[in-house]
C-alpha cells in the first residue's frame, strides 16, 4: 500500500564545513531496513557562509538569533534547488540537523542554528529539526544521535564507525547500543591543510610524507578526554581550547602535524575494535587512504568500506530517519548512548505559515 511509505528530505551540515548534504529517501514504515536513497547531493558552501559558520561561535546572542533565521532561509533555498533539480513532487517532511555552533552538554548547552520555521516557510514543507536540545535537557550528551539508525537500519554490522569532523563509533555491548565520539579527525586535519592553501590532504599524501613528533603524539594521547568512560561527546570548542594550542606549542611544520595527528587518530580508533570484522565505515575520512591504512595497522584487521552513497550521505540519511521516528512519536534518542535519564522521541515540528 502506498501509505506504507514516507518520503523524506534529510539535511546534514557537518563540523568540517564541506557543505550541506541532502538526501531524498523512501522509507517503508512497516520495515525500516527497506529504505532507498532516491536522490543525494552535496551543496558546497560559498566562502561567505563558510566564514560565517566558522566564526559563528564568536557571535553575540543577538547576532546568533539573526544568523539562526538567515541560515534557516539559506537552507530553504538550497533545499528548493535540490527539489527542483531532481523534480521531486512527493515530500512528507524535511528533517534538518542544522549546523552546530555550541555543544557543551556538561553545562546544559547545545545550539544548532537553522530556524525550522523559516525553513518550513521557504520550502512550504513540514520540517522536523532541533534533535539535540531535549536530550541535553534530560541530562544527556545530546550526541551522538546516529546510533538509533545504526541499530535499526544497519544492525548486520557489529561496529559502525564514522570518520567526519570527529570519529564516532556505535556498537552493541551487553545487549545495549552504546556510542561515543572517539577523537577529532577532519576538523583538525583540514584546519592545518588550509594553512597551506588546500581544502584537505588528498589520500593522506602529505601526512604520509611527514614525520611523527613523538612528544606531541604522547601529549595528545594523554588528554583527559580519552580516559573518560562513555557516554561522551566532543565539540569544536574543545578542539579550539585544548587541541590547537597543544599542537601549535609543539609543532609548526604542517606535514609533521598531519602525520602525527593521523597516528594519534588511528591509535585512538584502533583501540575500539575487538576481533570482529563486521565494521561499517563511513564519512569523508574514509577517502583518506593513509588514515585507513593506519587504523587497520592499529586495529589489526582489514576494514570493509561502505558503498559511496552510504559513505557520503549516511548522516543525512539517518537524520531523515530520526525525523521519521519523531513524526511517528517513536524513540529516536537512546539513553544508553547519550546518558539521558530516559529514552525519548526528540525533535521540534514546524509547519509552513
Amino acid at each position: 500500500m502506498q501509505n506504507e511509505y514516507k518520503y523524506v528530505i534529510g539535511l546534514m551540515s557537518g563540523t568540517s564545513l564541506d557543505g550541506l548534504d541532502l538526501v531524498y529517501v523512501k522509507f517503508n514504515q512497516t520495515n525500516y531496513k527497506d529504505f532507498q536513497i532516491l536522490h543525494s547531493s552535496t551543496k558546497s558552501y560559498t566562502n561567505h557562509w563558510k566564514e560565517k559558520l566558522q566564526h559563528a561561535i564568536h557571535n553575540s546572542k543577538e547576532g546568533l538569533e539573526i544568523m539562526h533565521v538567515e541560515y534557516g532561509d539559506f537552507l530553504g533555498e538550497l533545499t528548493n534547488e535540490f527539489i527542483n533539480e531532481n523534480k521531486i513532487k512527493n515530500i512528507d517532511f524535511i528533517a534538518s540537523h542544522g549546523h552546530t555552533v555550541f555543544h557543551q552538554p556538561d553545562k546544559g548547552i547545545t545550539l544548532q542554528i537553522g530556524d525550522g520555521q523559516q525553513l518550513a516557510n521557504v520550502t512550504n514543507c513540514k520540517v522536523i529539526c532541533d534533535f539535540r536540545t531535549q536530550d541535553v535537557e534530560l541530562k544527556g550528551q545530546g550526541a551522538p544521535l546516529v546510533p538509533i539508525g545504526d541499530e535499526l537500519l544497519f544492525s548486520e554490522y557489529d561496529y559502525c564507525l564514522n570518520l567526519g569532523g570527529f570519529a564516532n563509533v556505535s556498537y552493541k555491548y551487553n545487549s545495549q547500543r552504546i556510542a561515543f565520539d572517539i577523537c577529532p579527525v577532519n576538523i583538525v586535519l583540514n584546519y592545518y591543510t588550509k594553512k597551506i592553501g588546500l581544502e584537505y590532504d588528498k589520500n593522506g599524501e602529505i601526512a604520509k610524507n611527514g614525520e611523527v613528533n613523538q612528544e606531541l603524539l604522547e601529549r595528545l594521547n594523554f588528554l583527559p578526554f580519552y580516559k573518560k568512560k562513555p557516554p561522551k561527546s566532543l565539540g569544536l570548542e574543545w578542539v579550539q581550547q585544548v587541541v590547537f594550542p597543544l599542537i601549535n606549542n609543539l609543532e609548526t611544520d604542517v606535514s609533521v602535524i598531519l602525520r602525527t595527528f593521523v597516528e594519534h587518530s588511528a591509535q585512538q580508533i584502533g583501540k575500539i575494535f575487538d576481533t570482529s570484522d563486521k565494521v561499517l565505515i563511513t564519512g569523508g575520512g574514509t577517502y583518506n587512504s593513509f588514515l585507513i591504512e593506519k587504523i587497520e595497522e592499529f586495529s589489526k584487521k582489514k576494514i570493509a568500506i561502505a558503498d559511496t552513497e552510504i559513505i557520503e550521505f549516511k548522516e543525512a540519511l539517518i537524520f531523515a530517519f530520526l525525523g521519521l521516528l519523531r513524526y511517528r512519536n517513536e524513540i529516536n534518542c537512546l539513553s544508553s548512548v547519550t546518558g539521558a535519564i530516559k529514552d525519548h522521541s526528540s525533535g521540534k515540528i514546524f509547519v509552513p505559515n
Side-chain angles (χ1 to χ4, degrees):
M1 288 170 60
Q2 186 62 29
N3 61 5
E4 283 180 8
Y5 294 94
K6 288 293 175 192
Y7 294 82
V8 185
I9 292 178
L11 310 182
M12 177 68 201
S13 172
T15 46
S16 47
L17 288 173
D18 299 334
L20 180 72
D21 291 338
L22 303 99
V23 290
Y24 178 54
V25 193
K26 176 185 179 181
F27 288 107
N28 184 339
Q29 295 188 89
T30 62
N31 175 17
Y32 290 147
K33 278 179 173 288
D34 177 18
F35 68 86
Q36 187 180 358
I37 298 177
L38 301 172
H39 300 291
S40 58
S41 178
T42 298
K43 302 279 186 187
S44 297
Y45 286 126
T46 60
N47 289 334
H48 168 75
W49 269 107
K50 200 176 275 193
E51 286 284 311
K52 283 188 77 156
L53 293 172
Q54 207 161 22
H55 299 109
I57 197 169
H58 304 301
N59 276 6
S60 65
K61 184 171 183 288
E62 185 185 358
L64 281 172
E65 286 170 357
I66 292 166
M67 193 174 172
H68 181 53
V69 174
E70 287 178 345
Y71 186 62
D73 188 71
F74 180 63
L75 289 179
E77 289 172 11
L78 292 184
T79 305
N80 282 340
E81 271 181 32
F82 177 71
I83 291 167
N84 293 333
E85 285 164 2
N86 294 292
K87 299 179 173 58
I88 296 169
K89 301 293 182 199
N90 190 1
I91 304 166
D92 287 294
F93 58 86
I94 295 164
S96 174
H97 171 268
H99 188 85
T100 300
V101 176
F102 299 113
H103 186 64
Q104 299 176 40
D106 297 339
K107 297 179 182 175
I109 300 168
T110 189
L111 174 64
Q112 287 71 45
I113 60 167
D115 183 40
Q117 188 60 64
Q118 191 68 15
L119 175 54
N121 293 347
V122 172
T123 57
N124 199 34
C125 293
K126 181 180 287 184
V127 168
I128 304 176
C129 64
D130 194 9
F131 293 100
R132 298 188 189 275
T133 302
Q134 180 172 286
D135 193 76
V136 171
E137 288 169 353
L138 290 170
K139 312 298 182 190
Q141 290 283 306
L145 297 184
V146 166
I148 188 71
D150 296 340
E151 177 83 9
L152 298 177
L153 303 181
F154 298 105
S155 58
E156 65 271 29
Y157 295 95
D158 294 325
Y159 291 89
C160 291
L161 172 69
N162 186 68
L163 298 177
F166 299 94
N168 51 62
V169 69
S170 148
Y171 56 95
K172 272 283 187 64
Y173 181 73
N174 288 342
S175 302
Q176 277 195 319
R177 174 69 52 173
I178 67 165
F180 52 91
D181 286 339
I182 304 172
C183 62
V185 184
N186 293 339
I187 199 168
V188 172
L189 298 177
N190 294 355
Y191 175 81
Y192 286 100
T193 56
K194 280 169 186 153
K195 290 186 177 295
I196 54 172
L198 298 171
E199 285 296 307
Y200 59 95
D201 180 12
K202 189 175 182 184
N203 299 323
E205 288 298 328
I206 300 168
K208 194 171 187 175
N209 292 308
E211 300 287 327
V212 174
N213 178 324
Q214 288 296 339
E215 183 187 357
L216 175 57
L217 178 62
E218 285 175 24
R219 296 275 294 276
L220 287 166
N221 282 335
F222 275 98
L223 289 171
F225 176 82
Y226 300 122
K227 295 183 178 67
K228 287 175 72 176
K229 298 288 184 196
K232 57 181 183 174
S233 60
L234 290 167
L236 172 62
E237 305 95 310
W238 183 79
V239 174
Q240 290 177 334
Q241 292 162 15
V242 176
V243 177
F244 290 156
L246 175 57
I247 292 171
N248 295 339
N249 285 337
L250 292 173
E251 188 55 69
T252 56
D253 185 307
V254 169
S255 68
V256 174
I257 291 170
L258 297 178
R259 177 69 181 83
T260 305
F261 207 82
V262 164
E263 193 84 2
H264 164 65
S265 301
Q267 287 183 12
Q268 294 301 326
I269 294 163
K271 286 178 187 176
I272 302 300
F273 308 125
D274 59 13
T275 53
S276 170
D277 291 319
K278 292 183 180 174
V279 179
L280 175 68
I281 180 166
T282 57
T286 306
Y287 297 119
N288 186 326
S289 47
F290 181 57
L291 173 61
I292 298 299
E293 183 186 310
K294 299 303 290 184
I295 292 171
E296 289 178 335
E297 179 186 319
F298 288 112
S299 65
K300 298 182 173 60
K301 65 169 53 68
K302 187 79 179 161
I303 293 173
I305 307 298
D307 292 341
T308 302
E309 201 164 44
I310 297 297
I311 288 172
E312 294 181 4
F313 296 103
K314 180 181 174 231
E315 287 193 298
L317 161 69
I318 290 186
F319 275 94
F321 183 57
L322 285 171
L324 177 64
L325 294 174
R326 176 66 186 90
Y327 178 85
R328 291 169 56 84
N329 207 28
E330 294 176 4
I331 288 165
N332 62 8
C333 281
L334 298 171
S335 58
S336 63
V337 169
T338 69
I341 58 176
K342 62 179 181 178
D343 293 345
H344 57 104
S345 186
S346 185
K348 292 177 183 162
I349 300 175
F350 297 89
V351 294
N353 281 340

